[in-house]
Amino acid sequence: FGLILFDGKNSRFFKPQNNQRNLMAIFKAIADASMATLQESAETGEDNISDLSVPLQFLQYNLKSKAQIFIISNYNHISDDTKKTVVALNRRCRVYCVNVYDLLEESAPEDGEYSAEYEGQKLIFNTFSPDFKKAYAEYFAEKRKNMEDFCRRLGCHYINIRTDRPLYNQLKIL
């Protein structure tokens, strides 16, 4: 089991090894990177938006054929370069695109007025409207559908993981 861990800025590579020590080091690296990313996001108030193409290209050139690759992301910002690299990886390996998303990306927040800020602009929006709820749900469903269609055309596997549901139930398809 090996890993390339990309936190939006840095990549860490764990050479595939078949031992428990390597697996535990991978889990620790994932936990540490998750905490650091969440802490940085809380301090700066910004998402850590970055392109996956560079670490995936590294993977493409350093991977043996017939490997199984799990690309775990929210796929909110996937570039054409990233898609091209996934296509290239899928020719040699079995690719699983795992989309991790939150309940708030499936259904609108509860009825009420909410304040949001994006790029210095403040916005107050009301979630009482059925039209708002429908448009909100359709927006995120369309993003997931586009990625799913991309994977279907490629012949790679696409898995949705919602953060508020038990993971073992969602991975039964594997």
Side-chain angles (χ1 to χ4, degrees), residues 90-159:
N90 194 56
R91 288 187 193 123
R92 295 177 40 215
C93 305
R94 186 174 205 164
V95 176
Y96 295 84
C97 293
V98 181
N99 177 35
V100 180
Y101 69 101
D102 191 71
L103 172 64
L104 284 176
E105 293 178 63
E106 189 165 285
S107 58
E110 293 184 22
D111 290 348
E113 282 191 353
Y114 293 87
S115 175
E117 186 174 333
Y118 181 70
E119 295 182 352
Q121 294 183 348
K122 290 187 179 184
L123 171 72
I124 296 176
F125 60 95
N126 189 332
T127 61
F128 287 114
S129 166
D131 291 337
F132 171 82
K133 290 179 183 181
K134 182 179 177 189
Y136 186 95
E138 287 174 355
Y139 171 77
F140 287 106
E142 181 69 22
K143 288 173 64 172
R144 286 191 303 276
K145 180 82 170 118
N146 288 342
M147 190 63 196
E148 187 174 3
D149 290 345
F150 169 74
C151 290
R152 186 177 298 118
R153 285 191 309 273
L154 265 183
C156 67
H157 301 274
Y158 180 76
I159 304 166

